[in-house]
Amino acid sequence: MKISLAIVALALAVPAISFAQDSTAVSAEEKYPNTFSSGSANVSPFTNQSKRFNDWAISAGVGVPLVQSADLTSIKNGNGKNLFGYSAYISIDKAITHAFGINLQYDRGETRQGWFSTKKDAPVNASVYQQVGARTQYDAISLLGDVNISNILRRVDNKSPYRWALHAYGGLGTLAYRAYQKDENGQRLMTEIKPFKLGSMFAQAGAGVKFKVNRRLDIEGRVMYVMTGDDEFDGGGYKYSAINQREEQVSDNFFNATLGVSLKLGKHESHLMWHDPLQEVYYKLDVLANKNQDIEVCKKGDLDNDGVCDDWDRQLDTPAGARVDGAGVALDTDLDGVIDLYDKCVTVPGPVENGGCPVAPATTGPVTDDTRTLEGIEFDLNSDRILPSNTPILNNAVNYINSSSGTYTVVGATDTRGTDAYNQKLSERRANNVKNYLIKNGVESGKLNAIGKGKKDLKYPECDPATKCPEWKNRANRRVYFEAK
């Protein structure tokens, strides 16, 4: 029985040890980010090379088991004396997180209970007074959950590293044992339970305190409570025997106090169970607090002093006092070619030679201008939608066209990206959308005609398909403007 359990435990432990350094490897063929990632472009595969902490360990220890609730017991008054047995364990430990792990553990030991040690001679007439001695040899394999209580309860303001940790354990397994009883007639086997049977299942739970000696070695004191679920474990014989009818308890449970060591495996400096995530936060905050980094804004300066850095200023020679947009271009509200700084009629288009005002005042009659070219509006890439920011410009165009006696052509244009056929249709849609807007807002339909010129009518001709133009020039080429007939 003992040999078979040892073989099973070794068979389970060898693969775990073999893969302890490579258990986190995943396929490197996947593209990141993917469905199972956070969506960040900085996600990388979790491989053994990317690990930062060790997460495997081997633990072993020895101790003293004490039977507690049984008919022949070593620590309960009335049915026996204080007789101490021995125990030993070895386990393979895997940390899942900094606060939880799983241990595969093999236990072997012997409990001693009754009125005398079975290694000594029995008193005369011991069987008559039922003052017999007993011992139980056991082997057990169990799977234990390991909870690092210290990491769970760690204070958020604890900025110092720690070397003590409180752990809680609990799990299930299979228990095999041989229970012997001795009296003046000698020693005899009372009960034998084989492993991996329904009646051999048991549970154990307890707590331990670990001390971190160094990055490789921990020392732990542990107390476990083993629930056998069996009334014959103490050697009292079958459950209806005279000894097993002394007490009402039907489970011969015992305490197991052990002292052990843990050897942490891996190449990293720290083990996951000793990692406090807040320590990294404190360290990075301290680094940032002590780091003086000068942030240089506007490296190239602002030569025209318009409030827009030259790094992204589209007009580097803005006149002093002129209002500018976010790109540093002087504002021309009515798009008549005269910036607002010099425009005497800011909201009404007019020729440059007349200070940006109409040639004839609107109160004297319709404006006649057969050569007037009105600047227009720009569009987003691949879009014919009129932007809300353009409605004031179009409303001014409504007023100007209605005050004029002439007719106008609404001309649509695009940038150089895309095919000729696509851009031609896109420019026609842009021109028609502007035309319909003007008619809807009061312009006579007979005064307007709409045509599209595609990418053959560029405001910046240097932006041919072979030239990479800045985006502001491409945007300026995507426009609709007006021509007087």
Side-chain angles (χ1 to χ4, degrees):
M1 174 192 68
K2 299 176 184 176
I3 296 178
S4 63
L5 276 176
I7 293 175
V8 171
L10 182 62
L12 292 173
V14 169
I17 298 174
S18 301
F19 290 99
Q21 301 303 309
D22 195 32
S23 62
T24 58
V26 297
S27 174
E29 298 179 358
E30 293 190 39
K31 301 295 183 182
Y32 285 79
N34 58 27
T35 306
F36 304 101
S37 73
S38 65
S40 170
N42 297 321
V43 174
S44 61
F46 180 58
T47 63
N48 196 50
Q49 289 72 29
S50 67
K51 285 172 55 178
R52 296 178 51 204
F53 306 102
N54 300 323
D55 52 9
W56 287 90
I58 298 177
S59 300
V62 295
V64 178
L66 296 170
V67 177
Q68 178 253 339
S69 58
D71 300 280
L72 280 172
T73 178
S74 60
I75 62 174
K76 185 176 181 180
N77 295 330
N79 294 334
K81 297 181 179 181
N82 293 322
L83 304 177
F84 300 95
Y86 66 87
S87 67
Y89 73 89
I90 184 171
S91 67
I92 304 298
D93 310 331
K94 167 66 175 177
I96 307 300
T97 70
H98 74 290
F100 179 74
I102 296 178
N103 303 342
L104 177 63
Q105 181 168 303
Y106 169 68
D107 290 270
R108 183 176 183 180
E110 179 178 289
T111 63
R112 296 171 184 169
Q113 49 275 348
W115 290 90
F116 62 91
S117 172
T118 55
K119 290 186 177 182
K120 299 180 180 180
D121 293 334
V124 179
N125 296 328
S127 60
V128 176
Y129 301 101
Q130 296 183 358
Q131 295 180 346
V132 299
R135 63 185 177 93
T136 304
Q137 297 175 336
Y138 67 89
D139 296 87
I141 296 177
S142 57
L143 192 64
L144 299 177
D146 178 1
V147 179
N148 189 334
I149 299 177
S150 293
N151 268 347
I152 294 176
L153 301 180
R154 191 71 57 190
R155 287 171 56 91
V156 297
D157 59 351
N158 178 29
K159 297 186 178 182
S160 60
Y162 58 95
R163 306 188 71 173
W164 294 91
L166 177 64
H167 287 247
Y169 303 95
L172 301 173
T174 180
L175 175 70
Y177 68 86
R178 286 187 175 187
Y180 298 89
Q181 187 182 112
K182 186 177 182 181
D183 56 22
E184 73 275 10
N185 298 317
Q187 179 176 271
R188 55 193 175 277
L189 176 65
M190 302 300 293
T191 306
E192 181 177 8
I193 296 296
K194 299 291 185 180
F196 303 107
K197 303 293 184 181
L198 183 61
S200 69
M201 298 298 293
F202 82 105
Q204 61 175 328
V209 177
K210 280 190 176 183
F211 175 74
K212 181 181 179 182
V213 178
N214 53 43
R215 60 181 289 263
R216 286 294 182 193
L217 193 66
D218 295 341
I219 297 177
E220 180 181 21
R222 188 187 300 182
V223 176
M224 302 293 292
Y225 186 66
V226 181
M227 292 160 278
T228 65
D230 192 335
D231 195 27
E232 301 179 18
F233 181 84
D234 65 343
Y238 68 97
K239 62 180 181 179
Y240 296 115
S241 67
I243 291 179
N244 271 340
Q245 292 184 27
R246 287 177 173 178
E247 301 291 341
E248 296 181 356
Q249 294 95 340
V250 295
S251 297
D252 296 344
N253 303 332
F254 64 92
F255 290 97
N256 192 14
T258 59
L259 181 64
V261 295
S262 294
L263 178 64
K264 292 165 283 189
L265 306 176
K267 62 182 180 180
H268 301 285
E269 286 295 322
S270 179
H271 191 275
L272 184 57
M273 276 289 191
W274 285 106
H275 176 60
D276 180 2
L278 293 175
Q279 291 296 325
E280 290 189 27
V281 177
Y282 299 140
Y283 171 76
K284 293 178 180 178
L285 289 176
D286 291 341
V287 170
L288 291 175
N290 297 327
K291 186 175 182 181
N292 295 322
Q293 182 176 1
D294 296 330
I295 300 176
E296 186 177 358
V297 180
C298 222
K299 293 182 180 180
K300 296 182 180 180
D302 181 12
L303 295 178
D304 54 8
N305 199 30
D306 60 356
V308 179
C309 295
D310 292 347
D311 296 0
W312 50 83
D313 196 333
R314 287 170 50 183
Q315 185 177 351
L316 298 175
D317 56 351
T318 305
R323 295 185 303 155
V324 297
D325 60 16
V329 178
L331 294 179
D332 180 10
T333 302
D334 54 10
L335 298 177
D336 59 0
V338 182
I339 65 174
D340 292 352
L341 179 65
Y342 303 134
D343 198 332
K344 296 179 181 179
C345 301
V346 176
T347 60
V348 181
V352 176
E353 56 273 13
N354 199 36
C357 290
V359 175
T363 57
T364 61
V367 176
T368 58
D369 187 352
D370 295 334
T371 62
R372 174 68 183 159
T373 299
L374 297 176
E375 289 293 335
I377 61 175
E378 297 175 355
F379 287 81
D380 288 337
L381 181 63
N382 294 334
S383 174
D384 57 8
R385 184 176 68 90
I386 297 174
L387 300 175
S389 59
N390 289 323
T391 54
I393 300 173
L394 293 178
N395 291 338
N396 287 333
V398 170
N399 296 332
Y400 181 82
I401 294 173
N402 284 338
S403 66
S404 171
S405 61
T407 59
Y408 292 84
T409 300
V410 183
V411 183
T414 68
D415 60 22
T416 59
R417 288 172 286 191
T419 64
D420 291 344
Y422 175 81
N423 282 323
Q424 178 61 35
K425 292 181 179 180
L426 179 59
S427 65
E428 292 173 359
R429 294 200 306 272
R430 288 173 176 172
N432 284 318
N433 281 354
V434 173
K435 174 186 173 183
N436 293 336
Y437 181 90
L438 297 176
I439 294 173
K440 182 178 178 181
N441 285 273
V443 176
E444 297 179 8
S445 60
K447 284 189 173 186
L448 298 174
N449 183 37
I451 63 172
K453 292 187 178 181
K455 60 180 180 179
K456 298 177 181 178
D457 184 20
L458 301 176
K459 186 174 183 179
Y460 293 95
E462 65 270 20
C463 292
D464 55 52
T467 303
K468 185 176 181 180
C469 277
E471 181 56 29
W472 67 268
K473 286 189 176 182
N474 286 327
R475 185 175 183 86
N477 284 331
R478 302 191 298 266
R479 72 197 194 284
V480 166
Y481 62 95
F482 308 93
E483 287 183 347
K485 293 184 181 180

